[in-house]
Amino acid sequence: MSKYALIIDYKYCTGCHTCEVACRKEKGLPVEEYGIKVTKQGPVKLGGAWMYDYVPIPSSLCDMCEDRIEAGKRPACVHHCLGACMTAVPIEKIGETVSGKGEKVVCFIP
Amino acid sequence: MGTTDEKKWMTEEDGIIKVRSCAWSAPGDHPTGCGVIMSVKDGKIIKVEGDPEHPISQGRLCPRCLAFDEVQYHPDRLLHPMKRDPKDRGTDKWERITWDEAYDLIETEVRRVWEQHGPECCFVITGTGRETTLWANVYATNVLGSPNRTGVISGASCYGPRCTMANYHLGAGYPELDYAAFFPDRYDDPRYEVPKYIVIWGKDPIYSNSDGLFGHAVVDLMQRGSKLIVIDPRLTWLAAHAEYHLQLRPGTDAALGMGLANVIIQEDLYDHEFVDEWCYGFKAFAECVSEWTPERVEEVTWVPADVLREAARAFATNGPSSAMWGLAFDMQENGVQAGHLFLGIVAICGYLDVPGGLTLAAPASFMGKWRYDAVVSLPPETRDKLIKPLDGRYSVYTTGGAMPGALGDTMIDWLEMENPPFPLKLGWIVGSNLLACSAAQPERWLKNLQQVEFFIANEIFMTPTVMALADLVLPVSTWAEHIGIVMPHFGRNTHFLGAMNQAVDPGDTKSDFQIMLDMGKRLRPDIWPWEDEEAFLDEQLHTEYDWDFKDLQQDVVRQQPFEYYKFRTGKLRADKDPGFDTPTGLVELKSSIYPMFGEEALPFFKEPYYSPYSDRISDEVKAEYPLVLTTGGRNILYFHSEHRNVPSLRSLHPDPLVTIHPETAAKHGISDGDWVAIENPEGRCVQRASLSYEADPRIIHCEHGWWFPEQTSEAPNLYGPFKANPNNLIPHEIIGSTGYGANYKSVIAKIYKVDGLDS
Ligand code: SF4
Ligand code: SF4
Ligand code: SF4
């Protein structure tokens, strides 16, 4: 299990695919494989309001870019995320990181 | 080299050289100039990452720059000049030649045309976005000695109209969302204020990054509290996240603008001080919009009256707020009027040139003077041979507008004329894949351009356009292989200058600039004194700055000085008086310029030509084509017709998609993923159905720019640029009286299921 968690404040995820391509390049993955994949919900009207959200989900190939983190950098997906809505934190810091972010936040421990 | 100082543009560590640069083109992009760090090993780029020190992009990149290595080292890249006998157009009979041979051939052909027919019989075709948009006019004037250049697109429907409107109404460059882009510490700068609301009108900036705007700045501002008012026929991601979504019928923006202005004026929500001191024609403007009650606007635009009212109130009463206008303004016959209303609304709310409003830049002469000198370097009798309509129509475009040249529509008419005043003999295509992308009625263009005796094309890949038309193709270097300057908004609202720094050897390719310089020296040597591009850039920089390209290269990015409230301090006008650089010195809510060209001084609404309510088409036609078709929504994986051959990108979006509301699809027996024909009296195309509530049940949306690099290259297939092309459905020359605006985004259509792309 990873020592780090990927926290995504997905109210700001625009589905831009940057994380997918950044990960592919970082890990040298072929096009049939992926380290993270954007999923889409909606647009659908729920309770009178539109929901239209994207959430990227890391795959079994995601190693949280531990080598990058250890070198003082952010994971490739986090570094490039156009919505600036991804963070990587040690798992013990999940609580303090998500609190204050409000609604629509997910946490992955790949 | 050899230092580890991170501030330097080139550093080396463990045999890997890291080069900091600002990306532009080729491949295509607008001058957004995001910061990149290229890792180079043994002369090869092994990785592209975002540069965290870039003040605008801050380390972020879109997928296109991340997948750049797949362009740079693509097996199909054009790597050497190639020629083909003109009788073999459309076939793969290319012959590799040297640059000297290519240049000799161009010189011979150009001199032949000059002597036998005159320089005006040479012309340039250009596209959008790529660095060559800076050079295209000059390719025509300073290399070919001709005033004739065309962007092909009907009604010059791209950026030029908005720049012209900004010029005429504000006397300023392009007004842009204030995203603190001029300030080194950005949103934290004490001068800055976060806009309370941002109107996003006719634009999907998070995917388009248009004209130099870093689109995700909108998301930055959402994170800082800005609320959105989105005006878009589609329920985009931004629209779904907006406080107000005004989901208008395509092509009715002017009616919507009338309504917004009317509510703001009727309910007395406007900025009296700004209007009294800095606006001209308020009374006439107010009277002109007064009949447009929200209820009447609802009938025309389909936007509920209450939504319109509430959005207008929210925007006008929560200052500072900002607004951005998009390509949809350029792409309608009625777009000049819609733009007039947009500028009028932001002006009367007092949001121009204020913190958190819309930034206005003082006019910049950088590159502008050179481009102006280029035009006047032609003898007056040659300048007079600009291709324009023989009856003098479209005088705004042909005489006064931004980005002048020959209108695409006029070009087609000219080519179809039995006895034109002069024939077109030699064409040079610099950065345009018109058959797949910009041309309305692309097959008609193809047919007509075949009469041109000799075509040169600059490209990085074989495209349908090159395969169909070119007799000589010159391979262009990528942004990693040449130097240059990125200038967001092409000098019209430039928050920074960025260095494009060379990281790797271009091999046997050359930049568009280098080709222009080399051929300029051969054909018009008196006006090409520069030894190389750097000498040229230095001289351009010295028109405004006391530093050189080398200084910019070292810093990679230099943000521009900026002040708010320039209208008070005289910094918007050439004569340094306070006010705006218009004939009245004020924001012109009533235009003093349009009447000189036979256009109305005040805005009006005109129903699109092909629409369910049009009185210019018959009821039978309306009944047969019941849906409204809009086109051109952006996909971040592609820049217009580019990148379809990049595996990492294409795999994420393999097919051209037509978005259809699930109920509408069900009525037509169409399921998600089916191939669907989209047809109207002008033509037809086929795309794959994507069923989504993004579309209103009455409106469908088609993607643009599709061709299929994996298909047969030879004619008649030509990689299939006509199959999925919604421009087949766009009429010829239904454009505004100014010459601006074709309804690329608002026609009508019917849909039916077919078996595949080829059926
Ligand atoms: S953390 Fe690294 S491996 Fe995991 S998804 Fe992000 S880029 Fe890929
Ligand atoms: S890069 Fe960020 S904004 Fe883009 S899809 Fe991934 S998580 Fe969402
Ligand atoms: S917008 Fe995308 S393609 Fe353009 S410079 Fe930025 S990252 Fe590169």
Side-chain angles (χ1 to χ4, degrees), chain A residues 6 19-20 22-24 26-27 29 34-37 57-59 61-69 74-78 86 88 110:
Chain A
L6 189 61
C19 48
E20 293 174 333
C23 178
R24 163 160 303 142
E26 179 69 20
K27 297 291 165 196
L29 300 172
Y34 55 90
I36 190 162
K37 198 178 197 62
I57 301 179
S59 76
L61 294 181
C62 171
D63 66 359
M64 281 305 299
C65 287
E66 284 194 17
D67 50 342
R68 284 180 66 107
I69 296 180
R74 292 169 294 166
C77 57
V78 176
M86 304 174 109

Side-chain angles (χ1 to χ4, degrees), chain A residues 6-102:
Chain A
L6 189 61
I7 291 165
I8 299 158
D9 192 353
Y10 70 92
K11 55 187 166 290
Y12 302 119
C13 171
T14 59
C16 73
H17 298 290
T18 281
C19 48
E20 293 174 333
V21 180
C23 178
R24 163 160 303 142
K25 293 294 165 186
E26 179 69 20
K27 297 291 165 196
L29 300 172
V31 279
E32 321 72 66
E33 297 193 1
Y34 55 90
I36 190 162
K37 198 178 197 62
V38 175
T39 63
K40 179 178 174 184
Q41 280 204 74
V44 56
K45 207 161 225 179
L46 300 176
W50 285 112
M51 185 187 68
Y52 190 170
D53 289 328
Y54 293 101
V55 181
I57 301 179
S59 76
S60 55
L61 294 181
C62 171
D63 66 359
M64 281 305 299
C65 287
E66 284 194 17
D67 50 342
R68 284 180 66 107
I69 296 180
E70 245 96 271
K73 290 160 80 177
R74 292 169 294 166
C77 57
V78 176
H79 177 112
H80 292 102
C81 171
L82 281 176
C85 62
M86 304 174 109
T87 340
V89 296
I91 46 177
E92 56 278 10
K93 296 237 167 98
I94 293 171
E96 66 188 77
T97 311
V98 299
S99 71
K101 282 203 190 291

Side-chain angles (χ1 to χ4, degrees), chain B residues 243-521:
Chain B
E243 191 162 298
Y244 302 100
H245 177 206
L246 282 56
Q247 194 167 12
L248 80 171
R249 175 164 65 88
T252 63
D253 302 72
L256 189 85
M258 292 281 197
L260 288 171
N262 188 26
V263 171
I264 292 166
I265 295 168
Q266 287 290 316
E267 300 190 6
D268 196 12
L269 312 176
Y270 59 95
D271 182 336
H272 283 256
E273 201 190 309
F274 187 87
V275 168
D276 292 346
E277 258 184 88
W278 304 109
C279 293
Y280 166 77
F282 176 73
K283 213 168 146 246
F285 181 79
E287 226 173 80
C288 153
V289 300
S290 65
E291 290 182 3
W292 285 87
T293 61
E295 285 68 26
R296 177 168 172 212
V297 175
E298 176 171 345
E299 275 173 36
V300 172
T301 65
W302 301 346
V303 174
D306 285 345
V307 177
L308 176 93
R309 240 184 226 111
E310 283 169 32
R313 288 174 189 151
F315 180 68
T317 60
N318 287 286
S321 281
S322 188
M324 47 210 311
W325 54 346
L327 187 74
F329 285 84
D330 304 329
M331 292 202 151
Q332 46 184 306
E333 198 186 347
N334 195 199
V336 165
Q337 290 70 36
H340 182 162
L341 287 154
F342 172 88
L343 295 172
I345 290 164
V346 297
I348 66 172
C349 289
Y351 297 154
L352 285 174
D353 207 18
V354 302
L358 291 86
T359 58
L360 293 179
S365 67
F366 178 56
M367 301 266 194
K369 186 183 173 301
W370 172 66
R371 284 192 282 179
Y372 175 78
D373 289 348
V375 176
V376 298
S377 81
L378 297 178
E381 65 275 14
T382 309
R383 240 182 293 157
D384 285 347
K385 290 188 171 145
L386 173 69
I387 291 180
K388 41 187 178 191
L390 301 180
D391 64 3
R393 65 190 189 277
Y394 311 140
S395 54
V396 172
Y397 176 77
T398 52
T399 59
M403 301 167 41
L407 205 59
D409 310 82
T410 311
M411 201 68 140
I412 280 286
D413 292 345
W414 197 277
L415 289 162
E416 288 180 352
M417 247 182 253
E418 232 165 88
N419 286 305
F422 55 87
L424 288 166
K425 293 287 175 186
L426 182 145
W428 197 332
I429 305 169
V430 293
S432 172
N433 184 4
L434 60 125
L435 298 183
C437 202
S438 48
Q441 308 198 341
E443 287 178 278
R444 184 166 167 185
W445 271 93
L446 173 60
K447 183 166 161 269
N448 283 299
L449 287 176
Q450 290 293 8
Q451 67 184 263
V452 175
E453 285 169 7
F454 190 72
F455 261 118
I456 310 154
N458 298 3
E459 256 308 343
I460 49 171
F461 290 110
M462 189 54 66
T463 66
T465 304
V466 176
M467 185 48 91
L469 291 168
D471 307 304
L472 174 65
V473 58
L474 304 175
V476 172
S477 55
T478 65
W479 52 255
E481 295 168 331
H482 64 261
I483 61 163
I485 293 182
V486 189
M487 188 171 43
H489 277 301
F490 306 95
R492 292 172 194 275
N493 196 337
T494 295
H495 45 281
F496 73 87
L497 294 184
M500 230 185 297
N501 286 327
Q502 187 181 338
V504 289
D505 191 280
D508 202 23
T509 68
K510 292 185 196 296
S511 72
D512 290 296
F513 183 88
Q514 188 65 49
I515 297 167
M516 176 176 66
L517 179 69
D518 293 344
M519 283 317 300
K521 278 179 182 292

